[in-house]
Amino acid sequence: MNFSIVIMFLIGGLSQVHSHGTEVRTCLTTTGMRIFVEHWHPGTPPANTGTMTIQANHEPGAPSTPLIATGHVYDTAPGSLPGCRSGESDALVISCDLVHNNWVYYDFPITCGVPVEYTLISGQTEVLTEGCTELYPAVIQGTFACATPTAAPATVSSRAPTRAPTSGNGNGKGSKGKGNGKGSKGNGNGKGSKGNNTGKGSKGKGKDNNIPPKKGKGKKGKGKGGRS
């Protein structure tokens, strides 16, 4: 075997052993996007992990910027990484299938309704350089949905409504008093009958027998019928 080939193989193998970025995951937070990168160095603070070159593909000119990690997480399994929105968890982007559960993360603000796309291009230290050839570039996309507006509560009056007066159209309708005791006209049966008093004069008894007797005229009785 060529000695130079052996040296190159050893250098390549050592590069894989000492390159410690092993997985990329992401989730949306309450304010934007968070990107996690797993590594092999527990206890390393973000300032000592070096920088990661990240490209913002959605911005004009797609600028690439070396960025220091926003924070770090230790001894935390995938699916339980912090900061994700309530009811959501981190999602896999790409992995070397090596589990170490030590992470750095990068936070990016997002405008709601505007899609974003970031690409992790390369790490500049042994902590963040790729632990397998397929880890970078890692492309992360997402859209932060705008919150649904909440309808304003209806104003409710504290006063009870006043009932309008109603006519008696119910079971208790007032009925007009129709008297059954109609006054009847008095039909008096006591009609006055004509008096048939024929007052015949009796013959006068006088001393003078030559004086003829006077005839008595009887008055007609007028009987008026009384009204009841």
Side-chain angles (χ1 to χ4, degrees):
M1 181 182 290
N2 190 299
F3 181 73
S4 62
I5 296 176
V6 174
I7 294 298
M8 290 180 64
F9 176 79
L10 290 174
I11 291 173
L14 289 172
S15 176
Q16 291 292 328
V17 171
H18 292 287
S19 299
H20 304 130
T22 59
E23 187 164 293
V24 178
R25 302 183 75 86
T26 187
C27 71
L28 293 177
T29 68
T30 56
T31 58
M33 174 181 283
R34 177 168 289 185
I35 299 174
F36 299 91
V37 179
E38 187 181 28
H39 62 82
W40 291 357
H41 292 270
T44 304
N48 295 341
T49 59
T51 60
M52 170 74 73
T53 300
I54 301 178
Q55 181 174 325
N57 301 322
H58 58 283
E59 296 182 7
S64 297
T65 308
L67 298 175
I68 296 175
T70 306
H72 61 276
V73 183
Y74 301 125
D75 298 323
T76 304
S80 300
L81 296 174
C84 301
R85 292 191 300 189
S86 177
E88 299 181 10
S89 62
D90 48 278
L92 176 65
V93 177
I94 194 167
S95 177
C96 296
D97 295 323
L98 299 170
V99 179
H100 298 285
N101 294 337
N102 302 303
W103 309 82
V104 294
Y105 59 84
Y106 304 86
D107 285 339
F108 300 95
I110 294 181
T111 301
C112 75
V114 178
V116 297
E117 181 181 289
Y118 293 97
T119 299
L120 305 188
I121 296 176
S122 62
Q124 278 69 58
T125 66
E126 65 178 11
V127 177
L128 296 177
T129 51
E130 60 186 5
C132 57
T133 56
E134 64 270 18
L135 191 64
Y136 306 135
V139 179
I140 302 97
Q141 299 173 328
T143 302
F144 191 89
C146 298
T148 304
T150 304
T155 303
V156 180
S157 174
S158 59
R159 296 181 59 188
T162 303
R163 288 187 177 181
T166 57
S167 57
N169 291 330
N171 293 329
K173 286 185 178 180
S175 59
K176 293 180 180 180
K178 294 181 179 180
N180 291 327
K182 289 182 179 180
S184 59
K185 292 181 181 180
N187 295 326
N189 292 326
K191 290 182 179 181
S193 59
K194 293 181 180 181
N196 292 326
N197 290 330
T198 303
K200 290 181 181 182
S202 59
K203 291 181 179 182
K205 293 179 181 182
K207 291 181 179 182
D208 190 357
N209 292 328
N210 295 322
I211 298 172
K214 296 180 178 180
K215 293 182 179 182
K217 296 180 179 180
K219 296 180 179 182
K220 294 181 181 181
K222 296 180 180 181
K224 294 182 178 180
R227 294 183 179 177
S228 61

